[in-house]
Amino acid sequence: MEEKNLLKEIKSLKNILREKETQLADIRRKKEILQNNGLNNEEISRYSRQILLPEIGVKGQALLKNASILIVGAGGLGCPAALYLASAGVGHIGIIDYDEIEISNLHRQVLFSFSDVGLPKVESVKTVLNRHNSNVKVTPYKIQITSENALEIIENYNVILDATDNVATRYLLNDACVISKKPLISGSALKFEGQLTVYNYNGPCYRCIFPKPPPPESVTNCSDGGIIGPVVGVIGVLQAQEAIKIILNLPGVISGRLLLYDGTETTFRNVRLRQKNPNCNYCSETAEKCELIDYEEFCGAKAVDKNPNLKVLKKNERITVEEYREISSSKSHILIDVRSAEEFEICRLEKSINIPINVIDKEKSLNIIQNEIDKTDSNTLGVFILCRRGNDSQKAVKILQNKLPDCKLKIKDIIGGLHAWTTEIDQRFPIY
């Protein structure tokens, strides 16, 4: 009996000893963290190469750990920016995107793989970042940022990254950041070129430089104009770098300057922007109380990256793909495809003539079109303009109406372009 009681007492003492050891280990960890400005040993090891930099050090790394950065757009710019910010140890990363992953994203949106196609972008970003660095808190927002939700979201973050691809969202983010007094790191890329600047950080805001939006038909995004992946990689990584500099309060932030990157020549150029506008309706000292507005109405374009869905023609200047199918099967007409030569090589409709929109106003192109018109007879129904999605075709109709005012045939565009043709008429036709 005494032996049994002794064993119980020994067991109890062991449990007490284990508890004391655990408490002692916790005390040591807390002391260790306090000594390292809030960093534990694992974080010291992980970030040691950048902690060695005198511009960062342990205190700077602690600033990054306690920082919060919001990335708007989980595409070609947002993916590399998010990866490098998570790698650098930024404590909280928010990511906003309403879209799902498509196969056409994979050549430049480097956080995604083929198995992710169809999944929400923000959820995939969260998974990859947490797998890469479990110390980082990632908050996904599978929504479209709007005037109704922007301020509520932005107030939770120190720095905002604009990684979107449309003008309406650029104005929205600028105005929300001015109201919230947050710096906005703006990146953009198209074809082989990229741009980068920082707004609302000891310098002008976006409205100081662009008080009025451009005509919607003059804006091209990478979905229509094309993009090579490394260019968005370069600009996205530079956005992350500017965010780190702002968090650490380092000099040289690209505010009041615009970085121009040319991937074909591999050159970087800095352009001095106009100074802060003392009469800016949003960021000046004399500005009245600012409010977020309807930015799609303000810009005359949708706040989406994928398809601008322009509407610059009247209803009687357009036909549907169903109407064109009837025409193409039985009636004489002229079909002009205004896509690039590279796109025309991918796929084309029968009897179409390729005259890219960027040269359609040139004398040689106009002569080709006029010669085709001159060869027609009284039974020819008209000139029909086709493009990929029904946006460039509308622009082309406007150009030809101005350049060929005496045209004897009606000039119309085909609504929805080849995308609509594939969806409504022939699903075997490729979509790209």
Side-chain angles (χ1 to χ4, degrees), residues 223-396:
S223 180
D224 289 326
I227 183 72
I228 187 166
V231 169
V232 284
V234 168
I235 301 301
V237 169
L238 289 176
Q239 283 184 282
Q241 180 172 279
E242 292 304 296
I244 291 170
K245 286 159 63 179
I246 290 171
I247 295 297
L248 299 177
N249 197 28
L250 296 178
V253 172
I254 190 166
S255 173
R257 294 179 289 137
L258 179 66
L259 176 74
L260 302 173
Y261 171 63
D262 183 340
T264 57
E265 298 290 336
T266 318
T267 57
F268 290 91
R269 189 160 60 96
N270 266 251
V271 176
R272 181 68 61 182
L273 295 176
R274 289 196 297 269
Q275 293 182 349
K276 191 170 182 175
N277 182 358
N279 299 313
C280 177
N281 292 332
Y282 273 75
C283 75
S284 68
E285 293 181 2
T286 59
E288 298 179 2
K289 183 180 178 181
C290 304
E291 294 181 344
L292 302 184
I293 61 175
D294 184 333
Y295 292 90
E296 292 188 346
E297 181 180 351
F298 176 65
C299 296
K302 292 287 186 181
V304 293
D305 301 347
K306 296 172 68 173
N307 189 353
N309 193 22
L310 295 180
K311 292 182 181 177
V312 298
L313 296 179
K314 298 175 183 176
K315 188 175 181 181
N316 62 1
E317 295 174 314
R318 315 191 73 191
I319 64 168
T320 65
V321 288
E322 291 86 352
E323 290 171 324
Y324 178 72
R325 178 175 61 177
E326 295 297 321
I327 291 168
S328 65
S329 63
S330 59
K331 297 178 182 177
S332 175
H333 67 284
I334 298 170
L335 177 63
I336 298 175
D337 188 326
V338 296
R339 296 175 299 149
S340 67
E342 293 76 22
E343 292 176 276
F344 193 70
E345 191 176 0
I346 294 172
C347 57
R348 69 193 76 176
L349 291 186
E350 189 178 356
K351 298 180 181 178
S352 57
I353 302 168
N354 182 218
I355 303 178
I357 189 168
N358 63 332
V359 297
I360 201 166
D361 60 344
K362 306 300 181 186
E363 183 178 357
K364 181 179 179 181
S365 301
L366 294 171
N367 287 338
I368 293 172
I369 296 170
Q370 189 61 58
N371 288 337
E372 291 295 323
I373 292 171
D374 292 340
K375 290 189 293 186
T376 60
D377 55 34
S378 58
N379 295 321
T380 303
L381 200 57
V383 178
F384 300 102
I385 311 298
L386 177 71
C387 70
R388 183 184 175 199
R389 289 173 168 166
N391 294 315
D392 283 348
S393 57
Q394 294 182 71
K395 301 176 192 177

Side-chain angles (χ1 to χ4, degrees), residues 69-112:
I69 296 176
L70 177 67
I71 303 172
V72 185
L77 297 171
C79 281
L83 184 59
Y84 273 87
L85 289 172
S87 299
V90 171
H92 182 197
I93 297 173
I95 184 80
I96 299 179
D97 202 298
Y98 61 88
D99 209 359
E100 286 81 32
I101 300 164
E102 299 177 357
I103 193 169
S104 61
N105 301 147
L106 302 182
H107 93 285
R108 67 195 183 283
Q109 298 177 16
V110 293
L111 294 185
F112 311 135

